[in-house]
């Protein structure tokens, strides 16, 4: 819970985002996701990219601000050496 409060405080105090973006971030699961990853030293996997926009707080921006590692799904699949095999294909 402490991490959730810290992440939401960061978003609320940030001059880089519009008030609507801050409210959306606090209401959505994104802030909780970042807090969970921070508390558990996990990596967040997302299709989002770092952005300098003011209208939405992107997951990678929040992750970077809190020292949380993040990557794209494709990068994660490469790291994990995922293999997708079709059985019985001719």
């Amino acid at each position: 819970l402490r991490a959730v409060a810290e992440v939401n405080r960061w978003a609320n105090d940030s001059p880089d985002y519009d008030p609507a973006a801050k409210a959306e971030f606090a209401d959505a699961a994104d802030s909780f996701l970042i807090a969970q990853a921070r508390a558990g030293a996990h990596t967040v996997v997302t299709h989002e990219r770092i952005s300098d926009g003011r209208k939405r707080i992107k997951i990678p921006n929040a992750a970077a601000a809190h020292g949380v590692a993040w990557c794209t799904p494709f990068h994660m699949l490469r790291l994990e050496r995922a293999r997708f095999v079709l059985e019985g294909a001719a």
Side-chain angles (χ1 to χ4, degrees), residues 69-84:
W70 67 276
C71 68
T72 66
F74 303 111
H75 183 81
M76 182 268 307
L77 290 171
R78 275 196 247 31
L79 286 175
E80 296 297 324
R81 295 184 171 179
R83 294 187 59 210
F84 301 96

Side-chain angles (χ1 to χ4, degrees), residues 13-37:
D13 293 347
S14 176
D16 298 330
Y17 302 104
D18 293 338
K22 295 174 184 182
E24 178 187 352
F25 184 75
D27 289 341
D30 294 358
S31 62
F32 185 73
L33 179 70
I34 299 299
Q36 284 289 101

Side-chain angles (χ1 to χ4, degrees), residues 28-49:
D30 294 358
S31 62
F32 185 73
L33 179 70
I34 299 299
Q36 284 289 101
R38 181 177 180 196
H42 302 296
T43 299
V44 175
V45 180
T46 179
H47 279 290
E48 292 182 354
R49 301 284 187 179

